[in-house]
């Protein structure tokens, strides 16, 4: 059953030497994207021999099937670790860890890391100086915030 590791990676496998990946993957289960046939062929040709199992997902960044498949595959592989290489996977793996009782970043920590409004609220409550901020959900929230603080302002997505 290998090393009980599942690795989630949208498309970063081509950014590092294939030899490094072969040594690092060491019989893991790999979940990755299916959005580019050249990438899929690259992964199949170069990593099939070192991964216990590889599954490709359409619409990787928004797919709820990844969480479902990890849960299903856990009955066979008994995962002990989930490793992610992209921020898109942080919340999904925190939910899976909670469901499967796997050690690692929990959902509260993951939300605090990914959601800037939550992050700044926690920082502020712990006496960390943060600029004035507001969760913007529509145009009128933005206009009201500008009326209060004036320019310049910085707008960032909550989870980017």
């Amino acid at each position: 059953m290998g090393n009980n590791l599942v690795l989630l990676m949208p498309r970063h496998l081509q950014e590092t030497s294939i030899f490094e990946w072969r040594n690092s993957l060491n019989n893991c289960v790999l979940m990755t994207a299916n959005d580019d046939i050249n990438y899929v062929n690259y992964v199949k040709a170069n990593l099939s021999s070192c991964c216990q199992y590889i599954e490709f997902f359409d619409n990787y960044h928004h797919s709820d099937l990844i969480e479902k498949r990890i849960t299903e595959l856990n009955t066979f592989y008994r995962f002990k670790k989930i490793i992610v290489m992209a921020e898109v996977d942080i919340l999904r793996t925190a939910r899976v860890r909670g469901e499967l009782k796997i050690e690692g970043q929990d959902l509260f920590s993951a939300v605090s890391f990914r959601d800037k409004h939550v992050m700044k609220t926690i920082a502020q409550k712990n006496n960390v100086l943060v600029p004035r901020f507001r969760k913007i959900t529509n145009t009128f929230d933005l206009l009201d915030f500008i009326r209060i603080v004036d320019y310049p302002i910085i707008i960032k997505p909550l989870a980017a």
Side-chain angles (χ1 to χ4, degrees), residues 40-57:
V40 170
N41 290 336
Y42 173 86
V43 170
K44 286 179 179 179
N46 292 290
L47 298 176
S48 292
S49 63
C50 61
C51 293
Q52 282 186 320
Y53 178 78
I54 300 173
E55 190 158 342
F56 298 91
F57 293 88

Side-chain angles (χ1 to χ4, degrees), residues 111-150:
V111 168
S112 301
F113 176 73
R114 292 286 294 142
D115 185 313
K116 288 175 180 51
H117 186 261
V118 172
M119 180 191 308
K120 288 179 180 178
T121 301
I122 292 169
Q124 195 173 53
K125 285 180 181 176
N126 287 282
N127 300 315
V128 175
L129 294 176
V130 295
R132 290 190 283 180
F133 63 96
R134 175 185 276 183
K135 185 174 186 176
I136 304 295
T137 58
N138 60 59
T139 304
F140 297 110
D141 287 344
L142 176 60
L143 293 173
D144 188 48
F145 186 66
I146 292 169
R147 276 192 286 272
I148 293 168
V149 301
D150 202 13

Side-chain angles (χ1 to χ4, degrees), residues 73-131:
L73 291 169
N74 185 63
T75 59
F76 179 74
Y77 291 104
R78 300 285 183 225
F79 298 122
K80 301 228 182 305
K81 294 179 186 172
I82 302 174
I83 296 177
V84 301
M85 301 298 288
E87 286 198 38
V88 68
D89 292 316
I90 290 173
L91 291 175
R92 88 170 28 124
T93 56
R95 289 188 294 267
V96 171
R97 284 185 190 105
E99 181 69 24
L100 299 179
K101 310 293 188 264
I102 296 173
E103 285 187 39
Q105 186 176 39
D106 65 19
L107 189 56
F108 175 77
S109 172
V111 168
S112 301
F113 176 73
R114 292 286 294 142
D115 185 313
K116 288 175 180 51
H117 186 261
V118 172
M119 180 191 308
K120 288 179 180 178
T121 301
I122 292 169
Q124 195 173 53
K125 285 180 181 176
N126 287 282
N127 300 315
V128 175
L129 294 176
V130 295

Side-chain angles (χ1 to χ4, degrees), residues 7-80:
L7 174 66
L8 281 79
M9 186 174 304
R11 291 247 346 241
H12 302 285
L13 290 166
Q14 291 174 305
E15 296 173 9
T16 304
S17 161
I18 196 65
F19 300 107
E20 290 180 51
W21 282 121
R22 283 188 184 146
N23 292 334
S24 300
L25 294 178
N26 191 24
N27 293 320
C28 77
V29 170
L30 173 64
M31 306 285 183
T32 192
N34 187 29
D35 60 351
D36 177 347
I37 191 66
N38 293 325
Y39 172 76
V40 170
N41 290 336
Y42 173 86
V43 170
K44 286 179 179 179
N46 292 290
L47 298 176
S48 292
S49 63
C50 61
C51 293
Q52 282 186 320
Y53 178 78
I54 300 173
E55 190 158 342
F56 298 91
F57 293 88
D58 293 329
N59 196 20
Y60 182 94
H61 283 72
H62 303 286
S63 178
D64 291 329
L65 292 177
I66 297 169
E67 293 170 54
K68 180 178 183 289
R69 286 298 291 147
I70 293 171
T71 303
E72 292 169 352
L73 291 169
N74 185 63
T75 59
F76 179 74
Y77 291 104
R78 300 285 183 225
F79 298 122
K80 301 228 182 305

